[in-house]
Amino acid sequence: MRLIKLTPYAAKGGCACKLGPHILNSVLQSVKFPTNEYVLTAMGGAEDAGVYVLSDDVGMVQTVDFFTPVVDEPYMFGRIAAANSLSDVYAMGGRPLTALNIVGFPVPLVEAGALTEVLKGAMEILEEAGVVVLGGHSIENETPVFGLAVTGQVNPKAVWQNGGAREGDVLVLTKALGTGIMSTALKGGLFPAGTEAAVASMSSLNKIACEVAQNFTIHACTDITGFSLMGHGSEMAASSGVSLEIDTAKLPLFPHVAEAAEMGLVPAATYGNRKAVTAVAGLAELAPVWSDICFDPQTSGGLLLAIPATEEEELVESLRQSGVSAARVIGKVVARGEFDVYVR
């Protein structure tokens, strides 16, 4: 296959290409979606995936995720897109079982072998996750798009949800932040150590983090993706009726993220997140770089877990021993205040 760079085909890549939360909310408010008594979680409450109850012990988890290229290499784009698509099932405490491919690609790129490489990369991740592929759908599209519709399984009595964080809980994040900033740096050939670390993180599953966390008391969980740490943190706080306190000194970052942000290597979706997520306090008192990092749209980001403070050390140590090296406590849950998230 001749050398192909995918990012020039997309103005926005990865989860940064999502519709902004303020735009999406304005659409969803006026649409009535069919439901019934077997629906445990759906779009209400900003849950990461839907859960449909099949029996007392079996719930079906469903999610779909697709996006434009966040890296140049087709094979790596496939790996990242697949890992990202599976993440919402892990964020619900579930196990992904089956997947359907979603493809939109320019014919010249297909003929050049790019789509084949995307699928090879994605299939490796699915095999690692123990997920089987049942088919898919493809269209011709000027901008390359790839992702998966995923079905999984979870015990309805043990579903992790956004709501449920309790005052006194601590917040554990399992991956480093800054994929949007580093993806922007990647396009300019800058900060290779940071971009390589970000690509490796984006293409890694949240499977181990989910499996380890299932041995602990999880009051609430979400994965940090396109709406940023502030966006998804605000959703957790609002759904739980509490506020979150985030300590920027404790945030795990990829190498050179702050330096890249200071240079202005910030994706456009950062500004959309900042406009949409307004129930945040404290960032104005910090260096501007922290606003860029906290509102940075993440692609295939980590799990944000709210757990009892008594289990903090054991969970973090268990995660790190299992290979989730970036895991750390980044803040705590406090009584409901004027804002969803307080940053210091």
Side-chain angles (χ1 to χ4, degrees):
M1 185 186 77
R2 65 181 176 83
L3 180 63
I4 293 174
K5 289 188 174 183
L6 292 181
T7 57
Y9 288 85
K12 299 178 180 180
C15 288
C17 75
K18 287 184 175 182
L19 285 174
H22 57 304
I23 299 172
L24 189 58
N25 286 340
S26 68
V27 174
L28 299 181
Q29 286 175 359
S30 61
V31 180
K32 182 178 179 181
F33 296 93
T35 187
N36 62 30
E37 67 273 20
Y38 299 107
V39 175
L40 183 60
T41 71
M43 285 169 287
E47 295 296 347
D48 296 298
V51 177
Y52 189 87
V53 178
L54 298 176
S55 70
D56 289 345
D57 299 319
V58 180
M60 178 175 63
V61 188
Q62 286 196 301
T63 184
V64 59
D65 218 316
F66 59 92
F67 49 52
T68 54
V70 68
V71 293
D72 283 321
E73 186 183 357
Y75 167 81
M76 192 57 69
F77 173 42
R79 288 179 60 87
I80 292 170
N84 182 76
S85 296
L86 297 174
S87 185
D88 284 340
V89 176
Y90 295 128
M92 304 298 288
R95 180 168 65 96
L97 299 174
T98 68
L100 299 171
N101 292 308
I102 300 170
V103 175
F105 250 73
V107 171
L109 285 185
V110 176
E111 293 174 338
L115 179 56
T116 300
E117 292 301 307
V118 169
L119 291 171
K120 286 180 178 179
M123 296 311 108
E124 284 192 2
I125 290 295
L126 293 178
E127 187 170 1
E128 180 183 339
V131 174
V132 297
V133 177
L134 302 182
H137 185 70
S138 62
I139 64 168
E140 182 179 347
N141 200 54
E142 292 184 3
T143 301
V145 172
F146 178 73
L148 300 167
V150 182
T151 299
Q153 181 176 323
V154 69
N155 187 326
K157 303 183 188 70
V159 175
W160 298 345
Q161 298 189 43
N162 268 343
R166 304 177 186 178
E167 183 180 352
D169 282 352
V170 297
L171 299 168
V172 176
L173 182 63
T174 64
K175 284 188 181 184
L177 296 169
T179 64
I181 293 168
M182 284 294 99
S183 297
T184 306
L186 180 66
K187 294 179 181 179
L190 301 171
F191 303 113
T195 57
E196 288 172 11
V199 168
S201 177
M202 289 188 288
S203 60
S204 66
L205 290 167
N206 281 321
K207 179 176 185 285
I208 294 175
C210 174
E211 291 173 347
V212 170
Q214 285 173 335
N215 297 313
F216 295 84
T217 305
I218 306 302
H219 288 154
C221 179
T222 187
D223 62 337
I224 306 302
T225 53
F227 294 163
S228 76
L229 176 63
M230 293 297 98
H232 293 289
S234 290
E235 290 174 344
M236 178 181 287
S239 297
S240 303
V242 297
S243 292
L244 309 186
E245 284 188 1
I246 303 294
D247 186 349
T248 55
K250 296 181 178 180
L251 294 179
L253 305 177
F254 299 113
H256 306 296
V257 163
E259 186 178 353
E262 288 174 351
M263 289 178 59
L265 300 175
V266 178
T270 300
Y271 305 104
N273 285 338
R274 192 179 289 130
K275 179 180 179 180
V277 183
T278 57
V280 174
L283 283 170
E285 286 73 51
L286 302 177
V289 68
W290 287 111
S291 179
D292 293 333
I293 291 169
C294 287
F295 283 106
D296 186 47
Q298 302 304 287
T299 297
S300 190
L303 302 180
L304 180 66
L305 302 153
I307 66 166
T310 54
E311 300 184 28
E312 162 191 341
E313 293 184 6
E314 187 178 356
L315 172 58
V316 172
E317 182 61 24
S318 296
L319 287 167
R320 290 178 176 174
Q321 288 183 357
S322 300
V324 187
S325 58
R328 64 188 62 183
V329 173
I330 65 166
K332 60 184 178 180
V333 180
V334 297
R336 181 68 188 176
E338 181 181 353
F339 295 91
D340 289 336
V341 183
Y342 293 85
V343 185
R344 59 183 178 89

